[in-house]
Amino acid sequence: MHVRQTRLSGVLLFEPTPHTDERGWFSRTFDAASVADAGIDPTGFVQDSQSRSLLGVIRGLHGRRGTGEAKLVRCAHGAIHDVVVDARPDSPTFGRWEAFTLDDTNLASLYIPRGCLHGFQALTSIADTCYRIDAHHDPTQDVAVRFDDPELGIRWPLEVTLVSDKDRRAASWSALRAQLRDASATVSGPV
């Protein structure tokens, strides 16, 4: 498995080498040794989740306050346009975003460290997205920024077909930045 550092500090792309023959293919989707070699505790993941999205659906941009959560994300079926926003005030790439295509052909997994926002758009009629998460979900710590925030200027490749009401009502990037600057709203790592 090849591990590639992206343009965002600490965001890694794990690229497997599928074994193909007349039957189809076989690929490792998680390798504890590769994860450990990249500086991530492979035993730290406590939850696996999966979502199914239809063509054009956007989920995100989501993050967590408090101790937050890191994620290892992959697309098991179909394809997604996956976006990570660095929301760590002390990071050299704070405020920047990067997009990745994750699909059932490249089989890559994207490591998203604590303190980043995450969202994606389904690029196929059905897209199944798998998440390996290092913290149990605490809904009181949820943070969201609008997927179409003009300051971030994220370019989504397809027309948006559906976004949850919660995501449509999400805060702006500037509002989140103000919270991060506010000493009374100190975030101990992720947002």
Side-chain angles (χ1 to χ4, degrees):
M1 187 166 294
H2 176 71
V3 181
R4 183 169 58 89
Q5 171 64 54
T6 68
R7 293 180 314 192
L8 297 180
S9 178
V11 176
L12 304 173
L13 199 60
F14 290 84
E15 300 168 315
T17 304
H19 301 282
T20 305
D21 64 21
E22 63 278 359
R23 299 170 295 170
W25 55 264
F26 171 86
S27 182
R28 184 172 295 138
T29 60
F30 179 79
D31 183 75
S34 295
V35 169
D37 288 347
I40 302 162
D41 177 8
T43 66
F45 294 101
V46 298
Q47 178 180 316
D48 279 3
S49 300
Q50 183 170 330
S51 68
R52 173 165 284 178
S53 302
L54 305 177
L55 181 69
V57 166
I58 290 182
R59 294 180 184 261
L61 301 161
H62 302 147
R64 303 283 179 265
R65 293 188 184 285
T67 58
E69 66 183 18
K71 301 177 189 176
L72 193 58
V73 178
R74 68 183 180 88
C75 185
H77 177 78
I80 61 173
H81 179 78
D82 199 280
V83 175
V84 179
V85 179
D86 189 341
R88 300 166 293 176
D90 295 335
S91 170
T93 55
F94 175 71
R96 293 188 207 157
W97 62 271
E98 189 170 358
F100 307 86
T101 299
L102 302 179
D103 61 36
D104 59 10
T105 302
N106 69 27
L107 307 173
S109 294
L110 184 65
Y111 176 74
I112 303 165
R114 293 171 177 248
C116 291
L117 300 172
H118 173 250
F120 65 86
Q121 183 176 41
L123 300 177
T124 51
S125 60
I126 293 175
D128 290 343
T129 305
C130 299
Y131 316 78
R132 182 162 278 188
I133 303 167
D134 75 346
H136 294 285
H137 183 236
D138 178 356
T140 66
Q141 299 298 305
D142 288 353
V143 173
V145 169
R146 281 188 60 96
F147 70 95
D148 60 353
D149 184 274
E151 188 177 349
L152 287 174
I154 295 169
R155 295 176 298 277
W156 300 99
L158 302 178
E159 179 181 336
V160 178
T161 58
L162 187 61
V163 175
S164 72
D165 289 339
K166 181 179 175 182
D167 286 349
R168 214 171 271 294
R169 291 188 311 266
S172 68
W173 172 242
S174 63
L176 179 60
R177 278 196 345 267
Q179 288 178 15
L180 293 172
R181 283 192 305 264
D182 182 355
S184 67
T186 299
V187 177
S188 63
V191 293

